[in-house]
Amino acid sequence: MAAHFACDLAQAGLALNHFWEHTVGSDHAPMALRADWQAQLRRAHHELGFRYVRFHGLLSDDMGTLICHQGKKLYSFFNADQIFDFLLSIGMKPFVELSFMPLALKSGDRTVFSYRGNVSPPRDYQAWATLINKLTCHWVARYGLQEVRTWFFEVWNEPNLAEFWSGTQADYFKLYRCTVEAIKAVDASLQVGGPATAKNAWIAEFVDFGRQNHVPIDFISTHHYPTDAFGEETDDTETQLSKSTRGILREQAKQTAQQAQSKPVYYTEWNASSNPRDPLHDEPYAAAFVVKTILEANGLVEAYSFWTFSDIFEENYFPSQPFHGGFGLLTLHGVAKPTYRAFQLLHHLGREMLTVTGSHETVDTWLVRDENSATLVLTNHALPRHPIHQEQVHIELKSPGQPRAAYIERIDADHANAKKLWREMGQPDYLTTIQLERLQQASEMNKELLHYQYGDSVIHFDIELPPHAVAAVTIRF
């Protein structure tokens, strides 16, 4: 049975702020010193509109921010400056995650990831405060107070998980208080927030802590993935996703916004799964998930930072295979994945969302209006092991005028899907120049003319929508 959707293009709409473009995630700070990382971020900023970037490990010893040498604390902000200088040079800004613990301040030996970021609380909170204050003062002196006031300072990463914080919740709240006081001693208007938790955790407790102890909280940050708390911990990713719920991230974002009690909410990590080696990350499935998740979150959050923009990423180990299921929008070689093209479609949308009538078990639609055009975005998405089929979709748009032109852009198994060609090549671990050029071509998203009918002030057309697909129909007036 065909799916039917309709929209009146003359209706008043709701604002669509491009909140997903506010921030994008990366790996850890040393990666930002690489030329290929910088080239990919420059491209993502230009083509996708990202304004801030967030990464782990700015304070870890491999950045040299604070080390102990011959019994003396040595501060060096040179590497951090190199990164921030680059960001500002391309028109971006840092979303400053303050982690992990310099070994000179550690209270324990627990570490995370291949680069061994220390996750213990400071053994001397005043020494931690001194580091944060010195760093903030340095950035204000180097970049100017007006610039640094536009940055965001996020305290730590996922302290509710033992992998990332060996202390207690009370220890984290102490760290947050110490940090926010050190930053706001430089300037009270600098923006500081947390708790930067996984799984939407600690929000209510954190807000209560701030209110009861008169501790400033400028924004709420947290993370979520559709694999969070679904199935057993030993389940594979596909099983976890199959036990998830369609639209679960929207429901979680609504609850987080309520718990934040009017404070702005910044999701600083999310993706189609939390597995850094999930094959679905490289496939059209993830593109459909991304578009649906973002457009459903409109009006709930200030920022929605996808984790991550690039597969130049070494939390577990540095990969070499072109398509290895990494988090990134771009492969190691800079080949655009279907998710990259999804963000590209979203970037070109207007700023006003209209109500669309109609419903379907796997097909969703949104209509976004611009000054002289309207774009209908469609997805056909289901979780793994749930029914999904190719669907015939009929659209009716009530229009005050006859269109001048209409075209469609697609992301699916046969469109903007470079992994398909890589498989046909025999899945080479290392690419030749010619193979890379072919994959770049296969990743492109093309515009095709759309055939429609217009009569009695109504635009009619039909679309075939394969499983795990995105389509965007743009009509110009």
Side-chain angles (χ1 to χ4, degrees), residues 232-458:
E232 302 297 328
E233 290 185 3
T234 55
D235 285 345
D236 63 273
T237 299
E238 184 176 305
T239 298
Q240 288 178 323
L241 286 171
S242 72
K243 295 178 180 178
S244 184
T245 304
R246 196 170 184 271
I248 187 62
L249 297 192
R250 179 178 185 272
E251 298 308 310
Q252 292 174 348
K254 287 174 64 175
Q255 183 178 16
T256 294
Q258 293 170 354
Q259 292 177 337
Q261 298 183 21
S262 300
K263 294 184 183 297
V265 174
Y266 294 80
Y267 272 90
T268 50
E269 281 188 33
W270 71 282
N271 201 314
S273 80
S274 57
N275 180 355
R277 296 294 181 269
D278 181 0
L280 293 176
H281 288 157
D282 299 338
E283 299 175 8
Y285 169 93
F289 173 83
V290 160
V291 170
K292 179 179 183 296
T293 300
I294 286 175
L295 293 178
E296 285 181 340
N298 187 43
L300 298 176
V301 299
E302 294 294 321
Y304 211 38
S305 178
F306 188 79
W307 186 258
T308 61
F309 78 89
S310 175
D311 278 351
I312 299 172
F313 188 90
E314 62 175 7
E315 283 187 352
N316 297 318
Y317 57 87
F318 199 91
S320 61
Q321 194 174 60
F323 292 92
H324 57 268
F327 288 123
L329 301 173
L330 292 165
T331 70
L332 289 169
H333 301 84
V335 176
K337 299 182 188 181
T339 48
Y340 187 94
R341 299 307 180 192
F343 274 91
Q344 196 168 23
L345 279 179
L346 293 169
H347 180 56
H348 292 145
L349 293 179
R351 300 277 176 161
E352 188 179 17
M353 183 181 286
L354 308 186
T355 299
V356 178
T357 60
S359 64
H360 188 271
E361 289 184 355
T362 63
V363 177
D364 293 278
T365 64
W366 300 265
L367 196 295
V368 182
R369 184 167 57 198
D370 209 345
E371 185 176 356
N372 298 308
S373 67
T375 300
L376 184 77
V377 181
L378 305 94
T379 61
N380 188 11
H381 169 71
L383 294 164
R385 303 177 189 169
H386 290 243
I388 187 169
H389 308 282
Q390 179 160 308
E391 300 293 345
Q392 179 82 13
V393 183
H394 180 72
I395 303 295
E396 295 182 9
L397 304 178
K398 186 176 181 181
S399 172
Q402 185 167 354
R404 291 192 296 108
Y407 60 85
I408 184 170
E409 297 168 282
R410 292 181 177 274
I411 306 167
D412 54 44
D414 296 320
H415 298 85
N417 181 19
K419 184 177 179 179
K420 178 183 178 183
L421 176 59
W422 175 71
R423 284 172 169 161
E424 293 171 356
M425 291 175 174
Q427 304 184 26
D429 286 338
Y430 297 94
L431 300 175
T432 66
T433 301
I434 293 176
Q435 287 174 329
L436 179 57
E437 289 174 354
R438 291 181 62 202
L439 289 171
Q440 296 283 18
Q441 292 171 1
S443 77
E444 293 292 335
M445 184 169 55
N446 300 309
K447 295 179 180 179
E448 302 174 11
L449 289 177
L450 177 78
H451 298 289
Y452 62 89
Q453 295 178 326
Y454 179 76
D456 297 327
S457 298
V458 178

